[in-house]
Amino acid sequence: MTNVLVTEVEIEKEQEFTEVELQTANSVLKKLIFKVPATELNSLKTIIAQEMGVSGEVNTLQADRQIQMKSAVQVLGILAEIEKKRGFTKVEVNTANSILKKLEFEFPVTELNSVKAMITQELGLSREDARMFVSYRIKN
């Protein structure tokens, strides 16, 4: 379960789907990207609220909205870019969830063991799963 504060909502409509990007604050989770097979705003809100485990009628697609997420993530692959000089690690998680396609995290650590620990903690992965799914790139 994660508390996030939505800071920006970007909606890009295509003919058959809508891509919704939620940027967050006050969390190591910085961005969620959804690809929804709907273009009507009320349908989008309902579908995304269900995916995030948020119950009731909420304005999920609204800036300055505090949300407590309960979504379970099915991981396809993870790329961790360790930015040594800048002092953080950017982690992109590609998912197999129905509409949640990508998560982006920013961890305030650059030491490999700390990065591994944060990935397993934030995503609820075992060490074996993390070893299988995560690729590391170190930038100096």
Side-chain angles (χ1 to χ4, degrees), residues 27-58:
S27 170
V28 293
L29 177 60
K30 297 299 179 190
K31 191 183 294 184
L32 299 98
I33 298 174
F34 297 89
K35 201 170 195 177
V36 185
T39 56
E40 204 276 316
L41 190 58
N42 285 335
S43 296
L44 290 172
K45 289 180 181 181
T46 302
I47 292 167
I48 290 174
Q50 288 173 345
E51 181 72 22
M52 294 174 71
V54 179
S55 60
E57 196 60 39
V58 297

Side-chain angles (χ1 to χ4, degrees), residues 105-116:
F105 294 88
E106 206 171 273
F107 299 144
V109 296
T110 59
E111 204 278 315
L112 190 57
N113 286 334
S114 298
V115 172
K116 288 178 181 180

Side-chain angles (χ1 to χ4, degrees), residues 53-85:
V54 179
S55 60
E57 196 60 39
V58 297
N59 290 323
T60 306
L61 303 180
Q62 180 179 329
D64 299 322
R65 169 97 180 137
Q66 184 79 35
I67 299 172
Q68 189 171 39
M69 280 185 46
K70 296 182 251 181
S71 184
V73 177
Q74 298 172 349
V75 176
L76 280 177
I78 302 170
L79 174 61
E81 288 188 346
I82 299 170
E83 300 267 356
K84 291 244 182 216
K85 283 186 180 175

Side-chain angles (χ1 to χ4, degrees), residues 2-4 24-31 89 91 104-108 118 122:
T2 305
N3 284 312
V4 296
T24 67
N26 76 341
S27 170
V28 293
L29 177 60
K30 297 299 179 190
K31 191 183 294 184
T89 299
V91 178
E104 291 183 10
F105 294 88
E106 206 171 273
F107 299 144
M118 289 191 82
E122 287 296 322

Side-chain angles (χ1 to χ4, degrees), residues 116-125:
K116 288 178 181 180
M118 289 191 82
I119 289 172
T120 57
Q121 178 184 345
E122 287 296 322
L123 296 173
L125 296 175

